Amino acid sequence: MPMPLSGLAQTLSNSVARVQAEIVDTQNQLAAGLKTLNPGQQGVVTRLSAQATGYEQTLSNITTAQSVISVGQSALSSIATIMTQMQALANQASSAGLNSTDRDSLQATFSSLATQVKNLGSSASVNGSNLLNGSSLSVTTGIDGSDSAQTTVNGVDIAALSTSLDLLKINASVDAPSVDVTSDVHQVDTLTFTAASTKDAAGSTYTLAGLKFTTNSAFALRSKTEQATDLAAAFNSFINDGTYTLGKGLFSGSSWAAIHAIYTDSTNTSGVLTFTRAASGDQTANSLVVGGSGGATAAGTIEHGDEAANQIDTISFNSGLTQGQSISVGGIIYTAQSTVAAEDIATDFYGFINSNAAPSYGTFSGLSYTAAHAKYDTVTAPTGTTLELTWKTAGVHTATVTQDDGVSNAKAAIDTIKSQLTTVSTGQATLSAAATGLTSQSTANTALKTGLTNTVNSIQNIDATAMQAKLQQLNNQQSIDYYLVSQMNTEAAAILSIFR
């Protein structure tokens, strides 16, 4: 049968080994500052640590986004200040008291400020992210991968805004249309001399519009046909240059200046005189009065010429218009509602004057359709940028075409800038709200990360004081175990000596 001491020895030996293992484990935990975890605990720590790391990354994302927003806000603030300066310049330019040089000077400053707006918009970038170029910024603020884990920050399209500002003018930037005038075709009268039934004697008189020709004896000697030819030649010579040297009679009554004020010139073709009227438009034909001491018979008749063609104004639009710019043709003012090409301006004028058609690209003011149509009788459909207007009344007219003097440009610029300032203000409010929202999200994520970290720490971090006490206890237990083993060995040696 086994000795009773052998079982006790084994027990003491196992205790020594166990205590030693616990001492080593406790020392390792103290050195690492971490507990020795079982698989279940380790799984929890791994999961919670991953979540805490995820929230740490969201905080980094939010910090980066806040930097982009901050740069955008700073740029928007500067842009708002510059645009306010531009609005002040436009107000100044809208004063009717300024001349073109003053407005040109203001325009130079105005354009420079518009360039600054453009540069601010393009330079508000952080690591390639720019909230002022019309794009948005997506920020991952959650860790579950859902749509709600993404926060979108909407930007402002300063590029489009600056393009609009670049197009604004506060001076007279529009070229006035050019105009070519085809004046009235002056009325032409014809006077045909025919042979009288009998020859006229010396002293016969022929009168045309107050100009009197009295024949002499040389005329009386001519045949009837020759007398008709002589009369035509006499009147043609005098009307053209105020002289008569053919020796068939004398002129009296109206002076050459007086008759020339009625007829600018004449031509004689086989006894037919063609007179061109000095005055434009339709004229009343002057009759040829025949009479005198010779008892002369009628030698010719005047025919009224065709009605004169009314003046035609040919308008060529030299350039297009941008929103708010205007031009005037004959008192008809056209103001563009958007950017419009020169040929479209011609088309709008044609439709308005011809049939009161609504313009496609602008508005009309000044003369009404009725007044415009009463002024211009016919309008030829435009050819490209050219429009032909025929006056309703005969005579020479003043064709007036004018450009915007800068006042309406400046007023249109004021309205546009006012609208664009609203866009900037809205953008500022949007970015401010986004920054506030991200700050709140950052605070929440920080709290979640802290909670997860604290939980992980509570699971895996050691209580150093308790561990030191445990180590001391284990060391004491080891000392006792070593003492008992020593005593056991002494007793065993004594027993063995008895049986020797």
Side-chain angles (χ1 to χ4, degrees):
M1 94 184 248
M3 295 180 65
L5 291 178
S6 62
L8 179 59
Q10 184 61 46
T11 299
L12 288 175
S13 177
N14 290 340
S15 177
V16 168
R18 177 182 60 78
V19 170
Q20 182 61 40
E22 287 191 39
I23 289 173
V24 171
D25 180 59
T26 301
Q27 289 175 332
N28 288 338
Q29 290 185 63
L30 280 169
L34 299 174
K35 297 177 182 177
T36 300
L37 304 178
N38 59 43
Q41 291 174 317
Q42 189 60 56
V44 172
V45 167
T46 299
R47 184 178 74 255
L48 297 183
S49 295
Q51 292 177 1
T53 300
Y55 282 117
E56 178 66 28
Q57 183 58 53
T58 66
L59 295 175
S60 176
N61 298 342
I62 291 172
T63 298
T64 300
Q66 292 280 36
S67 296
V68 178
I69 292 172
S70 178
V71 171
Q73 286 177 310
S74 178
L76 281 180
S77 179
S78 297
I79 288 171
T81 300
I82 292 172
M83 289 179 63
T84 301
Q85 295 174 15
M86 294 177 70
Q87 190 175 43
L89 288 173
N91 274 307
Q92 186 177 353
S94 67
S95 171
L98 295 180
N99 57 36
S100 59
T101 301
D102 295 332
R103 288 196 179 90
D104 289 343
S105 177
L106 292 174
Q107 179 65 52
T109 304
F110 188 88
S111 298
S112 176
L113 291 174
T115 300
Q116 291 181 41
V117 170
K118 180 179 180 180
N119 292 339
L120 281 167
S122 62
S123 62
S125 179
V126 176
N127 296 327
S129 296
N130 189 343
L131 286 169
L132 302 190
N133 63 3
S135 61
S136 58
L137 181 64
S138 182
V139 187
T140 301
T141 55
I143 64 172
D144 61 1
S146 65
D147 291 341
S148 61
Q150 299 293 320
T151 298
T152 300
V153 181
N154 293 317
V156 185
D157 195 351
I158 294 299
L161 183 148
S162 64
T163 298
S164 175
L165 293 180
D166 282 339
L167 294 175
L168 295 179
K169 300 295 180 183
I170 58 175
N171 63 347
S173 60
V174 183
D175 293 332
S178 58
V179 56
D180 292 324
V181 175
T182 302
S183 298
D184 288 337
V185 177
H186 291 209
Q187 180 177 302
V188 175
D189 296 337
T190 57
L191 172 57
T192 303
F193 287 92
T194 58
S197 58
T198 60
K199 291 201 306 176
D200 288 338
S204 297
T205 59
Y206 299 86
T207 305
L208 172 64
L211 177 64
K212 182 186 292 185
F213 180 69
T214 303
T215 64
N216 60 16
S217 56
F219 179 85
L221 296 174
R222 305 279 284 174
S223 68
K224 292 183 290 183
T225 300
E226 289 173 334
Q227 285 183 347
T229 301
D230 289 342
L231 288 171
F235 276 101
N236 182 67
S237 177
F238 188 84
I239 290 173
N240 272 318
D241 56 22
T243 62
Y244 174 66
T245 60
L246 300 178
K248 302 299 190 297
L250 295 173
F251 280 100
S252 61
S254 295
S255 65
W256 174 80
I259 194 68
H260 197 71
I262 299 174
Y263 294 113
T264 56
D265 57 59
S266 71
T267 58
N268 178 19
T269 305
S270 301
V272 178
L273 294 185
T274 302
F275 304 106
T276 300
R277 287 281 185 165
S280 61
D282 298 336
Q283 308 293 329
T284 302
N286 289 293
S287 60
L288 179 66
V289 179
V290 180
S293 60
T297 58
T301 56
I302 278 188
E303 294 183 1
H304 189 289
D306 293 335
E307 291 185 357
N310 289 2
Q311 176 176 309
I312 298 174
D313 296 343
T314 302
I315 312 297
S316 296
F317 296 97
N318 301 319
S319 61
L321 301 174
T322 58
Q323 181 178 357
Q325 293 179 334
S326 63
I327 55 175
S328 173
V329 174
I332 307 168
I333 302 171
Y334 179 82
T335 302
Q337 290 183 315
S338 61
T339 299
V340 52
E343 55 267 27
D344 293 324
I345 300 172
T347 299
D348 274 354
F349 265 101
Y350 168 74
F352 175 72
I353 299 173
N354 197 54
S355 61
N356 199 24
S360 300
Y361 303 96
T363 58
F364 283 104
S365 58
L367 289 186
S368 65
Y369 158 70
T370 302
H373 197 63
K375 184 173 186 176
Y376 296 112
D377 184 38
T378 58
V379 184
T380 304
T383 302
T385 62
T386 301
L387 180 69
E388 287 190 352
L389 307 175
T390 302
W391 284 76
K392 204 173 190 72
T393 56
V396 177
H397 304 280
T398 301
T400 57
V401 290
T402 60
Q403 68 185 51
D404 188 325
D405 61 1
V407 172
S408 62
N409 282 351
K411 290 181 178 178
I414 292 170
D415 291 338
T416 298
I417 294 172
K418 180 179 178 181
S419 174
Q420 298 290 27
L421 276 170
T422 299
T423 299
V424 172
S425 177
T426 301
Q428 288 176 306
T430 298
L431 293 188
S432 179
T436 301
L438 287 176
T439 297
S440 297
Q441 188 67 54
S442 176
T443 300
N445 286 6
T446 298
L448 290 169
K449 174 201 164 189
T450 300
L452 289 168
T453 301
N454 289 341
T455 301
V456 168
N457 289 340
S458 69
I459 295 173
Q460 68 177 6
N461 289 358
I462 64 170
D463 182 341
T465 301
M467 292 296 287
Q468 287 289 354
K470 180 180 179 181
L471 181 61
Q472 183 61 46
Q473 182 182 8
L474 289 172
N475 286 330
N476 292 338
Q477 183 63 46
Q478 185 181 52
S479 297
I480 293 171
D481 288 342
Y482 282 154
Y483 173 76
L484 292 175
V485 169
S486 174
Q487 290 296 107
M488 181 68 70
N489 289 335
T490 301
E491 291 297 328
I495 292 171
L496 285 176
S497 63
I498 292 173
F499 290 99
R500 286 191 184 134

